[in-house]
Amino acid sequence: SPFYAVDRFFERTGLFFAFGREARARRLMTLAEERLSEARVLADADDERAESLVDEYEETFEDATIEAELSDDESTEARLAEQAARHSAVLDRVVERVPEQAKERVRAARERFVENHISVIRAVAEKNPERAAEIFSKLTERRDRATERKAENKDTKDTDGEKASELRERFKESEKYAEFGEEISLIARKRGTGETKVDDILKRTAEHRIEVLLRVRENAPEAAQGGLDNALMRTREARAFNADGLSPAQVEERLLERKENAIERLEERRAERIDAINTRTDAQLEKRGEGDEAAGRLEERRVERINTVNTRTDTRIEGVNTRTENRINAVEKRAVETRPPAPLQKALPTTDSAR
């Protein structure tokens, strides 16, 4: 409607006047939540436009997390991470309601949401591992409850195959969070701050997830049991993980390995998203005749979107490569600078003076 177009115009204007990384992160988060809410409403109405709004939500949310991380402000990062914990449930609802041909695309968006969410919680962990562990714990417990409700839900149109497919996705997500919990523990160990409290929070979270997964087993379709077993195994490994037993060199090695894995996944996501842009654009171009002005605009939009994907990915990779090490090393440097000097030892008498 024309009113919606006007509303979008004022959204862009509001973003233009949001000065500073923190303000832009807050504004982008508000816009992301609006797009997600609109997608839910359209999905409930069986409107195919919900799929496009999920795309817009995903891009806006990723921009919000990037701005929050670039702000280097713990409060901004933590606030965004806490707000985003509610998004998964809405994405779950959209997945259930959109037409079958759109489900995989929305599931892929939800998977990328998890990775973006982990990225901003990681930024909090680099400053305050204990706070990150608390955010992580609340988030994963919320997701565990959602998985249990999905397994128990009998009043659904889903077939056993559809239910099993959705539960397998939830179990993969659970494995990702379990692995990230170990990373928070490693960061705390390297910083040398709050390791005991962090480990207590993470162990308690893993124990809760194991209890939930064991209950889920009773209601999960047979086709989902393999994924559940993998999630259980990974969560038990996370519960047993003890960063205190690692040497500083081993902690460094594991953090480096996770950094490399994160970069590899970012590159995979880059390729996936560019491929999706090309596929959708090519499909739209097939419907246009030669000389159609809209075809030229579609090509321009293709280039614009690919450039945006590359910019976002390069920014994220730069952050993984530099910001993590800079922040943790800065903490180590401050710890050395503020460490009280060792007491001076009393000088032993010389041979001459002893005489």
Side-chain angles (χ1 to χ4, degrees):
S1 73
F3 296 106
Y4 187 67
V6 171
D7 185 52
R8 287 297 192 95
F9 170 77
F10 282 111
E11 283 182 359
R12 291 192 293 272
T13 303
L15 185 58
F16 178 78
F17 287 105
F19 300 111
R21 299 286 188 188
E22 296 92 337
R24 284 184 61 82
R26 289 194 298 271
R27 182 61 183 157
L28 284 163
M29 189 61 167
T30 298
L31 296 180
E33 292 185 332
E34 288 180 10
R35 295 294 85 79
L36 187 57
S37 178
E38 291 165 357
R40 179 185 59 78
V41 170
L42 291 180
D44 286 345
D46 201 25
D47 190 318
E48 62 184 13
R49 289 176 296 175
E51 189 178 0
S52 296
L53 282 169
V54 169
D55 286 344
E56 289 189 44
Y57 156 75
E58 182 189 353
E59 292 172 0
T60 309
F61 176 70
E62 183 169 14
D63 286 342
T65 60
I66 289 172
E67 290 290 342
E69 291 173 45
L70 291 174
S71 75
D72 206 26
D73 179 72
E74 179 188 330
S75 295
T76 299
E77 294 162 345
R79 190 184 309 112
L80 190 147
E82 289 164 347
Q83 280 182 258
R86 301 188 296 269
H87 295 191
S88 292
V90 183
L91 286 167
D92 292 344
R93 184 180 179 90
V94 174
V95 167
E96 291 177 358
R97 302 289 179 140
V98 293
E100 189 60 36
Q101 64 270 21
K103 287 187 184 294
E104 285 309 310
R105 186 169 164 187
V106 178
R107 280 185 178 134
R110 184 178 59 189
E111 181 181 348
R112 290 189 291 268
F113 158 78
V114 170
E115 292 168 357
N116 285 325
H117 198 191
I118 284 175
S119 181
V120 76
I121 301 174
R122 181 184 290 116
V124 178
E126 289 158 4
K127 301 180 182 67
N128 189 336
E130 187 175 328
R131 187 173 187 180
E134 290 168 350
I135 294 170
F136 169 83
S137 178
K138 291 175 183 176
L139 161 69
T140 53
E141 287 182 11
R142 181 192 292 262
R143 295 304 290 151
D144 291 341
R145 289 194 297 271
T147 299
E148 187 169 17
R149 286 194 299 270
K150 179 66 178 178
E152 292 174 346
N153 189 6
K154 304 293 193 297
D155 302 322
T156 177
K157 297 182 293 183
D158 288 350
T159 64
D160 275 355
E162 291 168 337
K163 185 176 181 179
S165 177
E166 176 61 16
L167 285 173
R168 283 196 299 269
E169 293 298 320
R170 304 282 184 94
F171 297 148
K172 288 178 185 176
E173 180 184 303
S174 178
E175 290 183 58
K176 284 185 180 179
Y177 281 125
E179 183 174 350
F180 178 60
E182 293 178 4
E183 187 173 345
I184 297 175
S185 180
L186 288 167
I187 291 172
R189 178 80 173 91
K190 177 163 184 176
R191 285 177 53 102
T193 56
E195 303 105 305
T196 301
K197 183 67 178 293
V198 166
D199 287 344
D200 287 345
I201 293 170
L202 297 176
K203 192 176 294 296
R204 188 170 63 248
T205 302
E207 288 170 351
H208 177 268
R209 183 183 294 116
I210 290 169
E211 292 172 4
V212 171
L213 290 173
L214 289 174
R215 291 197 297 269
V216 167
R217 185 191 292 282
E218 299 173 7
N219 297 296
E222 183 63 31
Q225 294 292 333
L228 189 150
D229 289 339
N230 289 337
L232 264 172
M233 180 181 68
R234 192 68 191 86
T235 305
R236 284 170 174 148
E237 289 173 355
R239 181 181 60 180
F241 182 74
N242 181 14
D244 284 343
L246 301 175
S247 69
Q250 289 173 318
V251 170
E252 190 73 44
E253 181 181 352
R254 294 201 182 193
L255 284 172
L256 178 60
E257 180 183 351
R258 289 166 191 270
K259 182 178 80 169
E260 291 171 349
N261 290 341
I263 292 174
E264 182 179 348
R265 181 58 191 139
L266 283 167
E267 291 292 3
E268 288 174 358
R269 279 177 53 191
R270 185 206 302 263
E272 290 169 2
R273 296 175 79 172
I274 290 175
D275 184 58
I277 290 168
N278 285 328
T279 299
R280 289 198 295 272
T281 304
D282 290 343
Q284 291 170 326
L285 286 171
E286 284 182 6
K287 300 176 183 178
R288 307 287 179 182
E290 290 188 11
D292 192 327
E293 292 183 6
R297 291 194 294 273
L298 283 170
E299 287 291 3
E300 290 175 3
R301 179 63 176 149
R302 184 208 301 262
V303 173
E304 179 185 330
R305 295 192 69 188
I306 289 175
N307 286 340
T308 300
V309 168
N310 283 328
T311 299
R312 288 187 182 120
T313 305
D314 291 342
T315 302
R316 270 273 151 76
I317 290 174
E318 180 186 358
V320 172
N321 274 325
T322 60
R323 290 199 304 273
T324 299
E325 286 305 310
N326 288 345
R327 288 169 183 162
I328 295 176
N329 290 339
V331 171
E332 292 176 340
K333 183 179 179 182
R334 285 196 297 272
V336 171
E337 290 173 348
T338 57
R339 187 180 300 150
L344 294 174
Q345 293 183 350
K346 186 175 181 181
L348 294 174
T350 64
T351 305
D352 291 339
S353 62
R355 290 178 187 150

